[in-house]
Amino acid sequence: MATDPRGRLIVDLGAIVANWRDLCALHAPGKVAGVVKADGYGLGAGPVAQALRAAGCDSFFVAHLQEGMALRDALGPGPMIAVLNGFRPGDDEDAHLTPVLNTLGDVRDHRGRRAILHLDTGMARLGLDAREQAALAEDASLRASLDLAYVMTHLACADEPAHALNDTQRARFTQAAAMCPGVPRSLANSSGLFLGAGFVSDLARPGCALYGVNPTPGAPNPMRQVLRLEIPVLQIRDIGAGETIGYSATWRSSRPSRIATIAAGYADGYLRSLSGRASADHGGRPVPLVGRVSMDLITLDVTDRPEITDASHITLIGGSGCTPDDLASACGTIGYEILTSLGARYVRVYTPA
Ligand SMILES: *Cc1c(COP(=O)(O)O)cnc(C)c1O
């Protein structure tokens, strides 16, 4: 058994920075922010944002006030930290966060203070709806009281380039944002960056593409992989033909088999629905999962892999055949959910940019 039985999540900050630079080139002359909500999609908002900051990124987005406060501590003064879910005036204390104004009430509350105005154009989630937009367009004195860093909207179907809603949202945004002449605009998320020149704005807001999730589903992934999750083997055992493995005895060996048990499970965010559907990686070759994923353990068939021993580490996520996108498609979710589920028990190791 390995000396430290915890999994190691190795995050390649250089690859994240290289992904950001590629997106900057794609989006020029517009700028590119870093979206680091949900603890940097599970990879660690502080280290990720510090690496992007050192590379020249000066705008960051989080979802919650508390994420913004922690990020200000990590980054220090200077860069814009915008809070997508908004917050009450004063709640950011002296962290100088930038609220995203999602309702007409938010607009009134944050008069005179640097903010981002969010216009909903087709998500029906956050942002001023069409009725509130019309009211604001008619209220010149309320608009004059605003100090807007950006006016933004969010695309619902950017990962489907042929979807009609993309152009509809862009047209609605152009029309609605006209009430804020001279205010810079923010439009594309990761996938939106790949929709062409019509979706270039002053500030793009990519998240997933920075972290290596494919922003162009169905086409080859233009981004670099950024993480590798290495899990130590705890035990290897031999079983006979016809024996079963794990809860509910879902897998039965057809031949005498060698089974490796590794130290991760669904409590670490490796989804139980991947049972029987996924493989891990060792030495660039797939190692199939067998039996149920349990809370803290996963079993692998290593019958044909004598080089794997109880001193080995298995690449559970981020290797060949087990990228976040591979695992997501194996169990019917998206790479985002694989990343944001990454557990707290892994040791996070950062390779410098
Ligand atoms: C999460 C989020 C983003 C980033 O989206 P990705 O698809 O990960 O690039 C951008 N804008 C808003 C409003 C978001 O909520």
Side-chain angles (χ1 to χ4, degrees), residues 35 37 41 84 125 152 154 189-191 205-209 336:
V35 178
K37 60 191 181 186
Y41 290 47
L84 289 165
R125 205 174 58 166
M152 66 169 265
H154 190 46
N189 65 338
S190 295
S191 295
R205 305 183 310 271
C208 79
Y336 300 68

Side-chain angles (χ1 to χ4, degrees), residues 104 128-139 143 179:
L104 215 41
L128 275 66
D129 64 17
R131 203 174 35 80
E132 288 185 305
Q133 290 170 26
L136 183 59
E138 276 164 27
D139 193 336
R143 269 184 290 120
M179 73 170 120

Side-chain angles (χ1 to χ4, degrees), residues 87-90 92 97-117 128 135-136 139-149:
F87 54 85
R88 309 292 309 157
D92 62 333
L97 306 180
T98 302
V100 172
L101 311 178
N102 287 311
T103 66
L104 215 41
D106 290 347
V107 170
R108 293 196 190 93
D109 289 348
H110 288 279
R111 270 178 289 198
R113 141 147 213 186
R114 196 93 175 137
I116 294 177
L117 177 65
L128 275 66
L136 183 59
D139 193 336
S141 75
L142 182 54
R143 269 184 290 120
S145 71
L146 291 175
D147 178 13
L148 295 180

